[in-house]
Amino acid sequence: MRATGRVLAAALAVGLLAGGCGAGSSGSSSSSGSDGSAGSAGSSGAGGAGSSTPAPPGVTPLEPLPAAVPAGLAPYYAQRLDWQSCDGGFECTAFRVPLDYDRPGDGDLTLVAARATAVPAGSGSGSGSAEGAGGGRLGSLLLNPGGPGGSAVEYLEAAARTYDSGVRARYDLVGLDPRGVGRSNPVTCLSGDRMDAYTAVDLTPGDQHGIDALIAADKEFAEGCRQRAGAALGHLGTVEAARDMDVLRALLGDERLNYVGKSYGTFLGATYAGLFPGRVGRLVLDGAVDPSLDSVTGNRTQAGGFETAWAAFAKDCAKHEDCPLGRTEQQIGDQLTALLATVQAHPLPSTDHGRRLTAAQATTGVIQAMYADFLWPKLRTALTDAKAGDGTSLLRLSDSYYGREADGSYPNLMFANTAVNCLDLPAPFAGPEDVQRAVPDFEQASPHFGRDMAWMALACTYWPVRATGTAHTIRAAGAAPIVVVGTTRDPATPYAWAQALAGQLESGRLLTYDGDGHTAYGHHDACVDGVVNRYLLAGEAPEPGKRCAR
């Protein structure tokens, strides 16, 4: 994700559930034309060489690094990878990167990567089409599921066998946990019980007592990260993570980086392209982030993306007999507001060891279900239960969003998420007064989620490390064609962001998916999967204006 605070745009949350990236069998068609989705006005529609999207005033482009490896980094690029069997059929390795690329001799981090080696055609494993399976090996294909904070190792191990068989035959699939994530020096901040308390704190404070409670929770979170992470907390930004990927590229023996990044992974991949345009191979950026947005604008437009997704859910819900909130979109929206107000006043009991569902968790549960339309039936059931006084199902959706385990523990997903975001951009707000002034604009963008998402963004205000990044454009001049995939009703990375990134990239090619959910590749749409797989296997980028629709 790019927006700061607790809002998560991790493709990992739904990508694994969707079954990976094999070519789909659902009926799909391709067409071209302008998109009518909310929020797309004024953005470049096609992408492609020669097109561009104007940068906001004062936003400058990301400058490439020198092509030659600096002498101080030569030892890192000269390492040899020692691959060992791990995790039931995969191989894992570890390598060193400098804590600070400006001071490469002043401490190291150890990063962990896993791979699934190329599967020869005809081996009987894999799924989808075998298009291109008969060609030679194309090298490594790095995967990143988003977040920031999503473990690429876990994603690889869950999704590798469902990738298109042609892709698997010609690439070693590689997952690198970025610095601070998963197995790569993971940052942690709070114990499980304190995270339970953090997720339950009211996100729509109505008085000073509520504001003080939210500030205290954010400060406790930040202080926990400071105490546990130490000096590494100031070196978890996306530019550093992109430089780590270049070290791994060299150690893998690849002249160019081939990459599939989802959600925040698009920002990581685009940053790589901006820093190393001459080393770009075949890059797929699915569910794109617009790097030119400041944190206030990013959070507000993301709120609008969730509102667009809610409208799609409400329209669908109205068609089902089991929709618990009414028979029209207006009724459904009004009853959601009323239900959340009821939970705000009286948190609901659950069957989970005495935990009660708060309004913040109820909203989070709804947001989680916006990531993929296959979660909509679960949301209808959860809302039905909540109206009957049982918060269990909504609480489970909220727990899924945060990655909470059955034993009450949490992965480092949200810790890394906040740590990276608070470094990549200056905090959106200086304090609660700024949030209160911004709430009307957030509510205009998203009547149902805007207020919550404005207050969520307060987290970086109290972060113990100053931001090292700023908003910027990414041109990647001279890079090979880069495919940017945008879904018209994507909740977490609005379609306009994909249009903007494709327009910024000199060689960007926009592939539009007219559909619902967060990210598109690997969600069983034959058109999207076919276009992306042809690009990965044959280097055939989609023509300008390429469009897929379910």
Side-chain angles (χ1 to χ4, degrees):
M1 62 167 278
R2 185 72 199 283
T4 52
R6 306 189 199 182
V7 183
L8 176 66
L12 182 68
V14 295
L16 303 186
L17 297 175
C21 300
S25 59
S26 61
S28 301
S29 62
S30 62
S31 60
S32 61
S34 61
D35 176 69
S37 64
S40 63
S43 299
S44 168
S51 68
S52 63
T53 296
V59 175
T60 58
L62 179 67
E63 295 295 334
L65 292 171
V69 175
L73 297 179
Y76 299 97
Y77 279 81
Q79 298 173 83
R80 297 187 65 180
L81 296 177
D82 180 20
W83 293 98
Q84 300 289 334
S85 297
C86 66
D87 303 340
F90 295 90
E91 294 179 327
C92 293
T93 192
F95 63 100
R96 294 178 299 106
V97 294
L99 174 67
D100 184 347
Y101 275 91
D102 292 332
R103 304 176 65 181
D106 193 13
D108 293 343
L109 295 173
T110 299
L111 307 187
V112 173
R115 74 178 176 185
T117 55
V119 179
S123 66
S125 59
S127 64
S129 80
E131 178 184 359
R137 182 178 178 277
L138 293 171
S140 303
L141 180 65
L142 266 66
L143 312 177
N144 184 280
S151 169
V153 170
E154 291 183 3
Y155 176 74
L156 167 77
E157 293 179 355
R161 293 182 177 90
T162 67
Y163 258 69
D164 174 78
S165 58
V167 173
R168 291 189 64 211
R170 302 187 66 189
Y171 286 101
D172 294 336
L173 302 184
V174 178
L176 167 64
D177 278 353
R179 51 175 62 200
V181 174
R183 304 182 191 183
S184 296
N185 296 97
V187 59
T188 60
C189 303
L190 296 176
S191 62
D193 61 330
R194 296 313 302 157
M195 268 300 288
D196 280 347
Y198 183 71
T199 65
V201 171
D202 184 9
L203 291 173
T204 56
D207 55 24
Q208 190 59 47
H209 176 75
I211 292 173
D212 291 344
L214 179 58
I215 291 174
D218 285 337
K219 286 183 175 179
E220 179 188 5
F221 187 99
E223 177 61 16
C225 294
R226 186 192 68 78
Q227 291 181 2
R228 290 169 172 83
L233 199 61
H235 296 281
L236 302 179
T238 298
V239 166
E240 291 159 309
R243 298 188 72 171
D244 295 340
M245 288 203 303
D246 194 58
V247 174
L248 179 58
R249 172 205 58 79
L251 301 185
L252 290 169
D254 294 330
E255 292 187 6
R256 294 172 179 261
L257 181 78
N258 303 307
Y259 177 83
V260 174
K262 296 197 167 199
S263 194
Y264 162 80
T266 68
F267 180 47
L268 180 58
T271 299
Y272 182 92
L275 296 175
F276 306 104
R279 299 174 194 166
V280 169
R282 296 171 188 176
L283 263 63
V284 178
L285 308 179
D286 181 14
V289 171
D290 179 1
S292 74
L293 300 181
D294 63 79
S295 51
V296 174
T297 306
N299 277 274
R300 188 178 62 246
T301 54
Q302 189 178 56
F306 281 103
E307 191 69 28
T308 297
W310 169 259
F313 165 78
K315 183 177 181 179
D316 179 77
C317 191
K319 301 175 183 177
H320 293 270
E321 290 296 323
D322 64 344
C323 182
L325 299 182
R327 287 293 171 264
T328 68
E329 294 176 47
Q330 183 66 46
Q331 288 176 350
I332 292 167
D334 290 345
Q335 289 199 34
L336 175 67
T337 301
L339 176 61
L340 294 175
T342 298
V343 178
Q344 175 94 347
H346 304 286
L348 299 180
S350 78
T351 59
D352 188 355
H353 304 289
R355 298 171 68 207
R356 300 182 74 85
L357 175 79
T358 69
Q361 292 162 328
T363 301
T364 302
V366 174
I367 285 175
Q368 168 68 359
M370 296 301 97
Y371 278 84
D373 55 6
F374 66 79
L375 293 175
W376 292 357
K378 289 187 178 181
L379 180 57
R380 294 198 303 270
T381 298
L383 293 171
T384 299
D385 293 346
K387 284 192 68 176
D390 180 2
T392 304
S393 296
L394 267 181
L395 187 59
R396 286 174 179 166
L397 281 170
S398 176
D399 287 348
S400 175
Y401 176 96
Y402 286 106
R404 186 183 190 272
E405 302 289 351
D407 64 1
S409 64
Y410 288 77
N412 94 302
L413 174 63
M414 280 297 173
F415 308 137
N417 184 281
T418 304
V420 175
N421 285 324
C422 292
L423 277 183
D424 278 349
L425 284 175
F429 303 119
E433 297 82 5
D434 285 351
V435 179
Q436 289 170 322
R437 284 190 287 269
V439 162
D441 286 342
F442 273 71
E443 289 185 322
Q444 183 175 4
S446 176
H448 294 100
F449 309 113
R451 185 179 182 85
D452 295 76
M453 293 179 71
W455 283 103
M456 284 179 185
L458 193 62
C460 289
T461 301
Y462 309 103
W463 201 243
V465 179
R466 184 182 297 275
T468 54
T470 59
H472 55 269
T473 58
I474 299 178
R475 186 165 179 242
I482 298 170
V483 174
V484 179
V485 185
T487 298
T488 56
R489 293 180 295 281
D490 189 314
T493 51
Y495 177 65
W497 291 3
Q499 292 176 299
L501 180 61
Q504 290 170 33
L505 292 167
E506 183 183 81
S507 60
R509 296 289 185 88
L510 178 63
L511 170 62
T512 297
Y513 173 56
D514 186 356
D516 298 293
H518 183 40
T519 74
Y521 178 50
H523 293 304
H524 305 297
D525 182 85
C527 174
V528 172
D529 290 354
V531 171
V532 172
N533 290 335
R534 282 192 296 276
Y535 168 71
L536 290 174
L537 294 170
E540 179 185 330
E543 67 271 18
K546 181 66 177 179
R547 189 178 182 91
C548 294
R550 178 173 294 181

